[in-house]
Amino acid sequence: MRRHHRTTPRTTRILGSLLLVMAAGAFTLGAAPASGEAIPLAQVVPAPASVAAGGSPYRITDATRIRVDDSREARRVGEYLAGVLRPSTGYPLTVTSQGRGGIRLRLAQGPFGAEGYRLDSGRSGVTITAARPAGLFHGVQTLRQLLPAAVEKDSVQPGPWLVAGGTITDTPRYGWRGAMLDVSRHFFTVDQVKRYIDQLALYKINKLHLHLSDDQGWRIAIDSWPRLAAYGGSTQVGGGPGGHYTKADYQEIVRYAASRYLEVVPEIDMPGHTNAALASYAELNCDGVAPPLYTGTDVGFSSLCVGKEITYDFVDDVIRELAALTPGEYLHIGGDEAHSTSHEDYVKFMDRVQPIVAEYGKTVVGWHQLTGATPAKGALAQYWGLDGTSDEEKAQVAKAAQNGTGLILSPADRIYLDMKYTADTPLGLDWAGLVEVKRSYDWDPGNYLAGAPSSAIRGVEAPLWTETITKSADIEYMAFPRLAGVAELGWSPASTHDWEDYKVRLAAQGPRWDALGIGYYQSPQVPWPAR
Ligand code: ACM
């Protein structure tokens, strides 16, 4: 299987309450509710774990305050919510720890876990309760979706701003709900990454995996090996100028992600996918000769020199500096498509490198080929196979999962966001097949890889490789609407999984994306409201 070789031929209950609400209301779900109607609590994506609709709606007015506990983080979430609501409502929405009613963000003990929340709505106010700030933040995303799509606009809109009455109790199915952005094939600026982070946060995604190095570009400054970024980052696919993040840039991304309750997972892909590093330092090559920079899209032609001691000095320096920039738990070491590294060398390399990650306090993540070596204790493997992946390869991954390696599921023929939707999709690749919205959504992570115990599944992640992706509009066209489905696979209980129900809830996201300036793919599989 070859990921990026473009010439390779293609191988190939919420519903019940929703219906009640629909019967009671004078509007069709998915269309904008008539003025005065509140959006049903069950219309949210990802589907909440439990919804009990009923009672009077709450109306946000110019007197509404956002009330927060006296904790810095609750106040921060309150300010974030105010920042979302003020431009479109035109209301002051003062954030305060005083008074009664209004929108209340409350930290309290309860069965919410690290990310869950409860949202109670009634005549006198909306209260979001969570044990942790991340739960408040996710509850705020739910609240956004309960308001008319126009709430996402950046100019004052007429309202009214009603939140339906009732209670949502919600907690995620999986702790790992990720998106990966390849900033190596094409470089994306800090502002472009922040824009994507904001979009990920809408759907309660909690990991941003940045693919920081590959054959075409090295994108993070490493002080002890300055040519990696300065030279190895100086181009990209197609020969454009590339770019890299300074440490300050990178910290800005990490901070911004944290303010949206996403953890950044940095990846340095090794021992293959390393041409940019090999081009930057001749001594990293077995023959001591630096290859030229590479701006094509082939894969599998580069390898670090497993037999040279300087290779491990290099890896140690890079991991040490990157770990120091990483407040999160994980550090991804790639390990995919090492077609120019012998199996023996691959195993030797991973045996040397994984302990370095541990030495700097991080947990190893690798693409699932890592299971062909000996995954370190606690390591996670990211499965990116497809239906056509050999039984032998699938069994190797399942066996590692039985032996304690956690799995992140990124099946390429389901949730690789760079796969074309149809043969006519102007962007993307098709080596894993054409992936329409229904195919992307309609599978169960808990019961996907035969032989892998469901307890090994840590979650899902949607990678976006960027051979053909050069700007934010491209990211958004490929991610939306599929990203929302990945978020639901990661968050919602399996019992809520139902394409017929989902596609109607998904359709209601269209006007939100329009309001946010997200140019999404208008799949004919989804009953979008008329624009
Ligand atoms: C991959 O797509 N080579 C992880």
Side-chain angles (χ1 to χ4, degrees), residues 1-4 180 185 211 214 267 269 273 299 332 335-337 367-369 382-384 410 412 416 418 431 463 465:
M1 175 191 332
R2 296 204 118 197
R3 178 177 80 206
H4 297 113
M180 187 211 80
R185 270 37 174 275
H211 185 76
D214 212 303
E267 178 188 354
D269 202 347
H273 290 281
V299 300
H332 201 307
D336 59 321
E337 296 176 311
W367 297 105
H368 75 256
Q369 283 73 21
Q382 185 169 6
Y383 180 73
W384 60 283
S410 300
Y416 262 34
D418 55 312
W431 62 262
W465 302 100

Side-chain angles (χ1 to χ4, degrees), residues 107-289:
L107 287 170
Q109 295 308 310
F112 307 116
E115 295 191 289
Y117 67 93
R118 191 179 67 231
L119 183 151
D120 299 293
S121 173
R123 187 179 306 280
S124 64
V126 175
T127 300
I128 299 171
T129 310
R132 306 287 302 276
L136 292 181
F137 186 81
H138 296 321
V140 159
Q141 303 309 323
T142 295
L143 176 58
R144 284 171 84 164
Q145 289 190 32
L146 297 176
L147 290 164
V151 79
E152 302 298 344
K153 295 196 176 174
D154 58 11
S155 59
V156 177
Q157 305 294 314
W161 307 106
L162 290 178
V163 181
T167 296
I168 290 175
T169 311
D170 206 6
T171 189
R173 181 180 186 188
Y174 294 115
W176 191 295
R177 305 178 308 279
M180 187 211 80
L181 183 63
D182 170 12
V183 296
S184 182
R185 270 37 174 275
H186 281 98
F187 181 65
F188 293 87
T189 64
V190 172
D191 282 346
Q192 287 172 315
V193 175
K194 285 181 174 178
R195 182 174 165 91
Y196 197 38
I197 287 170
D198 279 333
Q199 294 164 357
L200 299 174
L202 284 171
Y203 296 98
K204 306 182 175 81
I205 297 285
N206 69 351
K207 301 275 189 278
L208 174 66
H209 166 183
L210 289 176
H211 185 76
L212 290 169
S213 70
D214 212 303
D215 292 318
Q216 297 87 346
W218 186 284
R219 306 300 181 204
I220 178 75
I222 300 294
D223 298 336
S224 50
W225 297 75
R227 272 176 64 81
L228 290 171
Y231 181 69
S234 66
T235 192
Q236 59 189 354
V237 166
H244 70 269
Y245 306 119
T246 64
K247 287 191 171 178
D249 289 339
Y250 190 76
Q251 284 169 312
E252 174 70 15
I253 291 172
V254 169
R255 250 196 319 269
Y256 194 82
S259 76
R260 271 77 179 142
Y261 297 90
L262 279 95
E263 175 179 334
V264 175
V265 179
E267 178 188 354
I268 298 297
D269 202 347
M270 306 178 274
H273 290 281
T274 43
N275 189 77
L278 297 169
S280 303
Y281 288 97
E283 59 268 42
L284 291 177
N285 296 269
C286 284
D287 63 4
V289 179

